[in-house]
Amino acid sequence: MSILVSGGAGYIGSHTCVELLEAGYEIVVVDNLSNSCEESLRRVAQITGKQVPFIKADLCDPAATEAVFQQYPDIDAVIHFAGLKAVGESVRKPLEYYTNNLVSTLTLLNVMRDHGVKNFVFSSSATVYGDPASVPIQENFPTGGTTNPYGTTKLFLERVLMDYCAAAPDLNVAVLRYFNPIGA
């Protein structure tokens, strides 16, 4: 049994890899390195004393995603951090954000389904709350009214996951909504 960490070479992904390895989990990292680097995985190995299996692949590519699951058939959970993440850039490049964030997640979910993987953690964002009526934002506040394409991709994908869970009640999904994952 192992956990696929998509976007595992990124900031949050690499820190999660350290915690998973130190907790005794086996992991596999897939990342296209578009906004991360392999150096972070070398640092994970240095910190934990464990090598990190790494595949450079684009999750928007169904064949490449399928190949990951073929190569590592013991994957039983996915933590999905991969995605474009800059709010300002998403306003300038909305099609790139919609294509990358939606297609990569849908491709990953389809391949997971084909391989019977039923455990999924999705890295969302507090941007799904839009402009809230008050702060601090509470988890039960309504979502919607997003103010940028990045946030809208996260909102859309949360809805996809709700619909998928309704259709597949044996699917286990957790959604993480970050406000500021790296500090002030």
Side-chain angles (χ1 to χ4, degrees):
M1 296 183 157
S2 64
I3 300 171
L4 175 67
V5 182
S6 71
Y11 180 81
I12 299 171
S14 63
H15 282 76
T16 300
C17 288
V18 169
E19 295 301 317
L20 290 170
L21 289 167
E22 289 184 343
Y25 290 97
E26 292 181 26
I27 65 170
V28 176
V29 170
V30 63
D31 200 305
N32 68 7
L33 303 177
S34 67
N35 55 18
S36 60
C37 66
E38 280 188 77
E39 178 60 29
S40 63
L41 297 176
R42 286 189 281 279
R43 291 179 184 164
V44 169
Q46 183 180 26
I47 291 166
T48 64
K50 299 175 184 175
Q51 289 303 313
V52 179
F54 170 66
I55 300 169
K56 182 179 179 186
D58 186 346
L59 294 174
C60 290
D61 179 349
T65 307
E66 174 64 30
V68 171
F69 283 80
Q70 289 289 332
Q71 185 174 351
Y72 293 94
D74 58 340
I75 293 169
D76 68 339
V78 173
I79 304 177
H80 184 42
F81 296 114
L84 297 177
K85 63 187 184 308
V87 169
E89 181 181 66
S90 77
V91 174
R92 292 186 309 277
K93 299 179 177 181
L95 291 180
E96 287 84 345
Y97 272 71
Y98 284 109
T99 299
N100 183 81
N101 293 359
L102 297 174
V103 172
S104 65
T105 306
L106 294 172
T107 299
L108 184 56
L109 289 169
N110 277 304
V111 173
M112 286 175 58
R113 180 190 57 203
D114 294 346
H115 287 266
V117 177
K118 305 210 178 277
N119 302 301
F120 188 71
V121 177
F122 177 62
S123 180
S124 187
S125 170
T127 61
V128 301
Y129 294 110
D131 279 330
S134 64
V135 289
I137 299 171
Q138 296 180 24
E139 187 175 353
N140 62 352
F141 277 21
T143 58
T146 54
T147 60
N148 56 75
Y150 163 73
T152 304
T153 67
K154 296 299 187 174
L155 182 66
F156 286 174
L157 288 166
E158 285 191 21
R159 183 56 199 232
V160 166
L161 290 168
M162 285 189 284
D163 291 344
Y164 187 21
C165 285
D170 58 341
L171 185 66
N172 301 306
V173 172
V175 174
L176 308 175
R177 292 180 181 159
Y178 310 107
F179 288 86
N180 191 350
I182 59 172

